[in-house]
Amino acid sequence: MARVRLFANLRELAGTAAYEAEASTVEGVLAEAVERFGPTFAAGLETAKVWVNGDPAEPTDRVGPNDELAVIPPVSGGFETLVDRGASWQAVGIGVLSVLLVVANVWLSSAWFIAVLVGVMALWAVDLAYETRSGGLGVQLPPILASVVMGAVAAAWSAANGDGFMGLGVAAVFAVFASMVWSLAVPEGRDFVVLASTTVIAFVAAVAVASISVASLLAGATVVGVFLVQAVVAGLSTWLAARVAILDPFIAGSLGAVAAGAIAAQVWGLDVVVYLLVGAAVALALIAGRGFGGMCRTGETYLVDRPPGWLPDLDGAAVAAAVFLPILLLAT
C-alpha cells in the first residue's frame, strides 16, 4: 500500500499525519481519503496539491506500494516541508558543480574561477527557466543569460576601480534593463507576471555573479572560500536533516551556514564576528531563495524541500551569493 502524508490543516482535519492507502491512482487515493475523513476534509482537499515521491502529480498518475504521496494545501502561515528522498541524481549534479567551484577557487586564477562561476550560474538559469514553463510562469531565458555574463563584466570593471558596490549596481541595472528591452522585442515576454519573474531572476543572477566575482578579485580566494564552505555545509545539513528527521531541513541548513562561516573565519584568521553576521544573512537568503525557487519551479506557493529540476539546490545559493558581498562590505 502507498503511504500518504498530510500537511497543515489537512493533517488536523484528518487527525493523523500519515496513513496507508490501497488505491492504485492518485485520484483513487484522494477519493479514499474523502471517504475515510469526511466532507470537511474534502472541502480542504479542493485547493491542495499532491506530490508523489517529490514530484507534482496528476489525478490519473498511478501509485504503487513503495510510493509516498504528500497532500499539501497552500501555505498560509509557518511552513511544512516535503522531503524527496529519491533524487540522488540531483545530489550528484550539485556535488560536481560544487567541486568545480572549490577547485577553481583554490587552484586556479580569479579569471578562471569567474569563468566557472558564470558557467554554473548559466546552467542554473537554464534549469530554472525550463522548469518555470512547467509551473506556468514561462520566464524568458535570454535576458537572464545576458545578465549572468554582465555580472562578471561589471565585477571586472568595478574591481579595476577598487569599488565593489559599483559592480553590483551596474549588474542590477543591466538585469532590469535587459528584461524590459526583451519584453518589448518578444510578445510572450510582455505578460506582467512573465516580465516580473524574468526581471527578478535576472537580477538575482547578475548580482550573484557580480558579488562573488568582486569578492574573488578584491578580497581573494579565502573570502570566497568562506562563502563556498557556507553553501556546501548548508546543503549537506539540509540533506542530512531530511533523512534523520531530527531538525527541519531548512533550520538545519541555516544553522549549518552560520556555524560554517564562523568556523571557517576562525581557521583562516578572519574576523569571526563579521562572518557570524554574514552567516546569518546567508542563512536567511538560503531560505528565501529556496522558497522563491520552489515557487518559480512549481507555479504555486509551496515550500518544498526539493522542487523539480536538475539544480534546485542552487536556488537558495544564488540568492545567498547575491547578498554575500553587500553584507560583508557593510559589516566591515
Side-chain angles (χ1 to χ4, degrees):
M1 292 187 291
R3 180 172 176 78
V4 182
R5 298 173 63 203
L6 303 174
F7 291 86
N9 66 310
L10 292 179
R11 178 169 56 192
E12 297 173 2
L13 292 171
T16 182
Y19 69 97
E20 304 293 327
E22 297 181 355
S24 59
T25 65
V26 171
E27 188 175 35
V29 169
L30 297 182
E32 185 179 313
V34 170
E35 183 178 353
R36 177 181 298 199
F37 301 121
T40 305
F41 180 88
L45 198 60
E46 292 179 357
T47 57
K49 295 291 184 180
V50 180
W51 299 65
V52 177
N53 301 326
D55 294 320
E58 297 296 332
T60 55
D61 289 349
R62 298 191 65 81
V63 295
N66 296 321
D67 290 329
E68 182 177 83
L69 291 79
V71 186
I72 313 177
V75 176
S76 60
F79 58 85
E80 297 287 348
T81 305
L82 170 63
V83 177
D84 174 14
R85 295 176 171 82
S88 59
W89 50 270
Q90 292 176 321
V92 171
I94 198 68
V96 170
L97 295 181
S98 299
V99 169
L100 287 175
L101 287 170
V102 170
V103 169
N105 182 58
V106 174
W107 284 290
L108 302 180
S109 65
S110 291
W112 277 107
F113 169 74
I114 293 172
V116 174
L117 176 65
V118 168
V120 170
M121 290 301 296
L123 289 175
W124 170 73
V126 171
D127 178 62
L128 183 59
Y130 175 80
E131 293 299 335
T132 61
R133 295 190 177 276
S134 299
L137 289 178
V139 302
Q140 303 296 294
L141 182 60
I144 300 174
L145 292 178
S147 299
V148 169
V149 175
M150 188 60 192
V153 174
W157 172 75
S158 67
N161 290 276
D163 188 340
F165 276 117
M166 287 197 307
L168 299 179
V170 170
V173 170
F174 179 87
V176 175
F177 179 77
S179 301
M180 294 293 183
V181 171
W182 184 262
S183 70
L184 295 176
V186 179
E188 66 178 8
R190 297 171 190 169
D191 178 83
F192 176 77
V193 175
V194 172
L195 174 58
S197 302
T198 301
T199 302
V200 173
I201 296 172
F203 179 92
V204 170
V207 177
V209 172
S211 174
I212 303 303
S213 298
V214 170
S216 177
L217 292 168
L218 293 182
T222 300
V223 170
V224 174
V226 173
F227 172 76
L228 293 178
V229 168
Q230 287 178 314
V232 170
V233 171
L236 290 174
S237 300
T238 301
W239 179 85
L240 182 61
R243 283 150 180 79
V244 300
I246 296 176
L247 285 176
D248 179 90
F250 293 99
I251 295 175
S254 299
L255 294 176
V258 174
I263 294 172
Q266 179 67 37
V267 171
W268 290 328
L270 302 173
D271 191 325
V272 175
V273 174
V274 168
Y275 283 93
L276 275 174
L277 295 174
V278 172
V282 167
L284 292 174
L286 285 168
I287 294 177
R290 291 175 72 92
F292 173 71
M295 182 175 65
C296 290
R297 292 172 184 273
T298 64
E300 300 284 353
T301 312
Y302 293 93
L303 190 57
V304 296
D305 180 57
R306 190 174 292 277
W310 283 88
L311 301 172
D313 293 303
L314 286 183
D315 297 345
V319 176
V323 305
F324 177 75
L325 183 65
I327 298 300
L328 180 60
L329 292 176
L330 291 174
T332 55

